[in-house]
Amino acid sequence: MIFLGLSSCYLLYLHIRTHAIRRAHENIDKTLKASEVILSQFDISRQVESKILRSPHEDLESYLEAIQQLKSNISFFSNNKSFKSSDGVINHSNNLLAKALSKLEQEFEQIMSSYRCVVLFIYCCPFYHCNFIHRYFT
């Protein structure tokens, strides 16, 4: 048997406690980081909702990015069904996605209808081979 002095026993005790506190601190940091990721996923549908409710005509790039974020959000919560609110978030995100796709379809139809007259004229015009028509309408 090895007999340690009182000060050595106390130092060993401090070392063990310090190690335990350090490990607890690391676990808390990991938990906080994981929580931030999860909370940001919960927040995504709320953040992109304002973009989705606007028209894609204003900023198509941002609108398509919002749609992609919604798809990622749906995928995240579909893979992590253990969260209490995941079904609610998935339903909300799916509803927003349906609205976004509907707005994109409306925008596409509007663009196509505004160019319909020109396209019909070009393809129906008997003078399509004419340089003047070709130069200004194609």
Side-chain angles (χ1 to χ4, degrees):
M1 273 193 180
I2 301 176
F3 292 100
L4 297 174
L6 187 58
S7 63
S8 296
C9 287
Y10 186 71
L11 288 176
L12 180 61
Y13 170 78
L14 286 178
H15 177 73
I16 291 170
R17 291 299 297 156
T18 303
H19 181 71
I21 291 170
R22 189 176 316 124
R23 181 172 286 178
H25 186 267
E26 290 170 0
N27 289 340
I28 290 169
D29 283 345
K30 288 177 186 177
T31 303
L32 285 174
K33 287 177 185 175
S35 298
E36 286 175 10
V37 168
I38 294 166
L39 288 174
S40 69
Q41 289 294 324
F42 273 106
D43 204 35
I44 283 177
S45 60
R46 189 181 58 78
Q47 289 174 352
V48 298
E49 187 170 12
S50 63
K51 291 179 187 176
I52 296 297
L53 296 178
R54 288 185 302 211
S55 170
H57 180 73
E58 295 175 16
D59 184 9
L60 182 61
E61 182 100 11
S62 174
Y63 201 81
L64 294 175
E65 183 180 313
I67 290 173
Q68 188 59 40
Q69 287 176 329
L70 273 178
K71 287 180 178 181
S72 297
N73 198 24
I74 292 168
S75 175
F76 177 83
F77 284 105
S78 294
N79 294 331
N80 297 296
K81 292 269 189 180
S82 61
F83 305 124
K84 280 186 175 182
S85 302
S86 63
D87 288 335
V89 173
I90 290 171
N91 289 336
H92 183 68
S93 296
N94 278 327
N95 290 338
L96 281 176
L97 190 58
K99 286 178 186 177
L101 296 178
S102 175
K103 285 182 178 274
L104 278 175
E105 186 177 332
Q106 289 171 357
E107 182 70 19
F108 180 74
E109 288 174 359
Q110 182 181 357
I111 290 170
M112 292 305 290
S113 68
S114 68
Y115 288 108
R116 181 181 294 167
C117 295
V118 175
V119 171
L120 288 175
F121 175 75
I122 290 171
Y123 287 110
C124 296
C125 179
F127 304 108
Y128 180 68
H129 62 279
C130 175
N131 286 337
F132 173 79
I133 299 293
H134 186 66
R135 189 175 334 127
Y136 290 103
F137 293 105
T138 57

